[in-house]
Amino acid sequence: MDQTLHPTILAIESSCDETSASVIRSGKVLNNVIASQEVHHKHGGVVPELASRAHQQNILRVVNDAMIQSGIKKGELNAVAFTRGPGLMGSLLVGVSFAKGMALALDIPIIEVNHMEAHVLAHFIGEPKPKFPFLCLTVSGGHTQIVLVKSFLEMKVIGQTQDDAVGEAFDKAAKMMGLPYPGGPLIDHYAKLGNANAYKFSPTVMPRLDFSFSGIKTAFLYFLRDRKKEDENFVDKNLNDICASLQRHLVQMLLHKLKMAASQTGITQIAIAGGVAANSGLRSALAEAAAELNWNIFIPEFQYCTDNAAMIAIAAHFKFLEGKFCGLDIAPVPNLGIGD
Ligand code: KG4
Ligand code: ZN
């Protein structure tokens, strides 16, 4: 087998609070081992110092599990890939250092991967695959972007949040209601049981294709405060309706700009990626828009929406084919942008 066209790569993801490793051969993802860090739940958010320590504790086991499960010997690897950024510095350092150590020991090259580009490229793990050019709405705990994807390695952010990410808005709103971290999936869960028209929130106006989620966060805080003055058990009594209404509002904000981007670019291949792409309200709103506007839509499998090393592996595969390796002096970049 020609290794330049059919590489075997180990990929490591450690940008936030999941330690993950994946092995890919000839562009086919063989596995996706993920160790989530429970330690943050009681703190109501990711504590960077605790995250890097947990990565340090988990990484050897996670990489070992991925190698054993894949049935591939370390000597068969052609490269080691890792997330260079964006992410938490301490967390990134663990993955970058581990990848360098392994590559040095095995005398193979390393490949740096941009976490946000990898979220987009997660669409090439399974079927159906989008055709270029396509638009990808990347929505996570740290980012909200509309990306114009021209090829595997050429992407441009055409709209993004100017403050909080939509995942952060979900998580902070959940926290205000007394729900544990991460609150996004819980809001999704309760929203399925509620009436999305029960409460209305004012729209946020933003220019161009940009987003802002800090206004709805404050509006939601005041909404809860005012309702709780009337009835201190307001949240408990109306949790499903509150979650359904808030989720609908956030999803509509996303869809509004996504529709604008599609109409401005004339592109009808529309993908979503990132942790919030797991949201059932977003998935069904996207399906409705697709029916209305003749879009071809792409939603990654659930395990490839939230942070995972399989997406780092597929991104590394395309970089390997283009010979895009990096030197052992490379350092993580916490605010690495698409195209940097
Ligand atoms: O991509 P991701 O795993 O990590 C980052 O790179 O940030 O995204 C995590 C975010 C969290 O804010 C989490 O609450 C949100 O994705 N999330 C959801 C759902 N599942 C995960 N938000 C809404 N509904 C969901 N079902
Ligand atoms: Zn992510």
Side-chain angles (χ1 to χ4, degrees):
M1 198 157 47
D2 183 353
Q3 288 172 358
T4 53
L5 292 176
H6 300 277
T8 306
I9 307 169
L10 166 72
I12 296 168
E13 153 65 29
S14 72
S15 64
C16 191
D17 60 342
E18 329 274 355
T19 319
S20 182
S22 167
V23 180
I24 187 167
R25 174 166 266 184
S26 306
K28 188 173 177 295
V29 165
L30 301 183
N31 57 18
N32 184 34
V33 178
I34 304 177
S36 297
Q37 304 178 356
E38 303 295 324
V39 64
H40 307 289
H41 292 196
K42 62 175 180 285
H43 297 282
V46 177
V47 183
E49 178 71 25
L50 296 179
S52 43
R53 282 189 223 177
H55 282 304
Q56 194 71 266
Q57 286 168 328
N58 292 341
I59 195 154
L60 188 59
R61 176 175 57 81
V62 168
V63 168
N64 249 334
D65 284 357
M67 289 307 302
I68 291 165
Q69 274 184 25
S70 71
I72 284 172
K73 308 243 173 343
K74 290 190 187 75
E76 295 174 59
L77 291 174
N78 303 119
V80 184
F82 60 88
T83 304
R84 185 185 184 199
L88 302 168
M89 187 50 144
S91 294
L92 291 166
L93 272 170
V94 177
V96 176
S97 306
F98 196 92
K100 284 184 186 181
M102 243 183 117
L104 202 59
L106 297 170
D107 195 20
I108 52 177
I110 51 172
I111 301 174
E112 52 116 350
V113 172
N114 179 311
H115 181 88
M116 299 312 295
E117 293 179 7
H119 268 304
V120 172
L121 293 174
H123 285 284
F124 295 92
I125 297 173
E127 294 291 342
K129 301 184 197 320
K131 290 187 180 63
F132 301 113
F134 67 93
L135 293 178
C136 186
L137 172 73
T138 312
V139 276
S140 72
H143 293 82
T144 305
Q145 303 178 327
I146 300 176
V147 185
L148 170 60
V149 191
K150 295 177 193 163
S151 70
F152 294 121
L153 303 181
E154 209 186 338
M155 307 182 190
K156 191 174 165 213
V157 177
I158 58 171
Q160 62 186 323
T161 182
Q162 298 301 318
D163 42 56
D164 294 350
V166 65
E168 216 174 330
F170 268 105
D171 295 339
K172 285 182 179 163
K175 196 172 178 181
M176 291 176 210
M177 293 188 284
L179 299 174
Y181 175 86
L186 291 171
I187 291 188
D188 191 0
H189 170 79
Y190 294 117
K192 285 184 193 139
L193 312 168
N195 169 14
N197 293 313
Y199 307 104
K200 291 265 179 289
F201 303 101
S202 315
T204 303
V205 180
M206 282 297 284
R208 299 177 296 274
L209 297 172
D210 288 337
F211 301 92
S212 163
F213 292 97
S214 63
I216 176 65
K217 193 180 63 185
T218 314
F220 190 69
L221 182 73
Y222 291 152
F223 162 78
L224 291 182
R225 185 196 62 184
D226 294 346
R227 297 297 177 120
K228 281 203 253 180
K229 271 188 206 152
E230 293 159 19
D231 177 358
E232 64 177 31
N233 296 320
F234 171 71
V235 172
D236 290 345
K237 286 183 188 161
N238 302 286
L239 186 61
N240 299 343
D241 287 352
I242 303 171
C243 288
S245 303
L246 177 72
Q247 177 167 300
R248 192 173 97 129
H249 185 80
L250 293 173
V251 165
Q252 280 183 344
M253 286 171 79
L254 296 172
L255 259 291
H256 172 61
K257 291 294 168 106
L258 192 55
K259 285 180 182 176
M260 263 173 74
S263 106
Q264 282 177 15
T265 58
I267 294 174
T268 53
Q269 300 268 313
I270 313 284
I272 57 172
V276 183
N279 184 267
S280 59
L282 177 57
R283 287 171 177 239
S284 52
L286 193 71
E288 278 169 31
E292 179 197 335
L293 299 164
N294 262 327
W295 286 354
N296 230 341
I297 56 168
F298 301 88
I299 305 176
E301 226 180 88
F302 183 80
Q303 62 164 326
Y304 304 133
C305 285
T306 48
D307 288 349
N308 66 88
M311 69 183 195
I312 305 302
I314 193 82
H317 171 78
F318 297 125
K319 288 190 112 173
F320 189 104
L321 297 187
E322 298 286 323
K324 294 200 178 299
F325 304 106
C326 59
L328 282 171
D329 57 347
I330 195 145
V333 178
N335 59 356
L336 189 69
I338 280 187
D340 287 353

